[in-house]
Amino acid sequence: MSSTTVKSKQEYAESLDEECIKLSNALTRAAQMLSLNELRLIYLAVKKIPVGITAAEYLSNPSITITAAEFRARYGMDQDAAQKALKSSAKALYDRSVIWHLGDESETWTRWIWARTKYQNGSVSIKFTPDILPHLLKLQSHFTLLELNYVGAFKSANTVRLYSILSSWKSKGGKTFAIEDLHHQLDSNATCIKDFGQFRRHVLKSSVAEINGLTGLIVTYPPIKGAQGRVV
């Protein structure tokens, strides 16, 4: 069984600088259809990209290697759980895509990675696709800072996704979401899309409780009924 050690808000604040990763707002808000451990693998790989590296330098260098020991230490797992999580998430990630939702209701799909090694000797290596690199490297504006200790403490992919999306709007002081947009960004299932009560109970309630309890974000979700449909 896995276990998670939750630090206090003060401890998180003290380690903020060295624990953050940076992704573009566009990538953060795109529909991603990733499991909790797939998100954790991506974020850990992003953390290991050398600061200041160019896309050309990244592509000419070896793939990023993640070990089960690193996964265990970063996310508070026991060794067996970390090994299984790393092995399964690396395998699944090879088939995962980012879905860019365009303004004309069309979509563009982009692979996360274009190469991975077989899990062996407690490690796996992955390489991000060229299309993803502009959203990870040398970002000077329009980016989201994510704190990896929060990602390790969160218990569900929904919480990580919601935390990431909300963090991308933090500099704006807040954000009101149309439910349809939130469903897209969280990759909601058909039941939650059809029934807001199910969405509130099974996604929003638990995720908001975790985010408000562990991070500096303050999240509320009073529904607002307007001409454009329900928003929160």
Side-chain angles (χ1 to χ4, degrees):
M1 297 180 62
S2 62
S3 61
T4 300
T5 301
V6 179
K7 295 182 179 180
S8 68
K9 291 183 180 179
Q10 177 64 30
E11 289 173 315
Y12 278 127
E14 291 173 352
S15 62
L16 187 62
D17 289 341
E18 67 180 52
E19 299 300 335
C20 281
I21 60 168
K22 189 185 294 186
L23 296 84
S24 76
N25 290 339
L27 180 60
T28 303
R29 297 168 190 166
Q32 299 173 3
M33 300 187 295
L34 299 170
S35 72
L36 176 60
N37 284 322
E38 289 160 21
L39 286 165
R40 287 172 168 175
L41 174 57
I42 286 173
Y43 294 165
L44 191 50
V46 171
K47 181 64 177 174
K48 298 188 74 172
I49 297 175
V51 175
I53 194 172
T54 66
E57 290 170 335
Y58 173 86
L59 293 172
S60 65
N61 283 333
S63 299
I64 297 170
T65 298
I66 307 295
T67 68
E70 290 172 323
F71 215 79
R72 176 190 59 76
R74 171 60 64 181
Y75 298 126
M77 297 175 159
D78 62 42
Q79 188 65 19
D80 183 59
Q83 290 173 345
K84 291 178 180 178
L86 181 57
K87 181 178 181 179
S88 61
S89 58
K91 183 177 180 180
L93 187 58
Y94 189 71
D95 295 319
R96 299 295 192 225
S97 299
V98 179
I99 305 174
W100 308 100
H101 187 62
L102 307 179
D104 59 359
E105 298 187 358
S106 62
E107 295 177 342
T108 297
W109 294 52
T110 301
R111 294 279 188 180
W112 274 102
I113 62 174
W114 65 347
R116 72 170 179 89
T117 61
K118 179 181 178 181
Y119 178 85
Q120 57 185 5
N121 300 321
S123 69
V124 68
S125 297
I126 64 173
K127 198 152 200 170
F128 292 109
T129 61
D131 286 344
I132 291 293
L133 294 181
H135 300 277
L136 302 178
L137 306 181
K138 302 184 71 130
L139 298 173
Q140 300 298 320
S141 62
H142 304 293
F143 61 79
T144 305
L145 286 175
L146 300 178
E147 215 281 281
L148 288 183
N149 280 337
Y150 295 151
V151 176
F154 292 148
K155 298 177 181 178
S156 75
N158 282 329
T159 304
V160 176
R161 292 184 191 124
L162 185 59
Y163 161 69
S164 302
I165 294 165
L166 294 174
S167 294
S168 76
W169 293 101
K170 187 164 59 174
S171 64
K172 302 295 185 181
K175 172 68 176 176
T176 299
F177 293 92
I179 289 298
E180 292 77 10
D181 292 339
L182 204 54
H183 282 318
H184 172 77
Q185 294 179 47
L186 294 175
D187 188 36
S188 297
N189 61 36
T191 300
C192 286
I193 292 173
K194 183 178 180 180
D195 185 344
F196 179 75
Q198 291 279 346
F199 180 63
R200 182 178 60 237
R201 287 190 296 274
H202 298 296
V203 177
L204 288 180
K205 185 176 180 180
S206 58
S207 295
V208 167
E210 281 195 273
I211 292 169
N212 285 342
L214 290 172
T215 78
L217 296 176
I218 299 174
V219 186
T220 60
Y221 53 99
I224 305 167
K225 188 72 174 181
Q228 301 301 314
R230 192 190 297 269
V231 296
V232 294

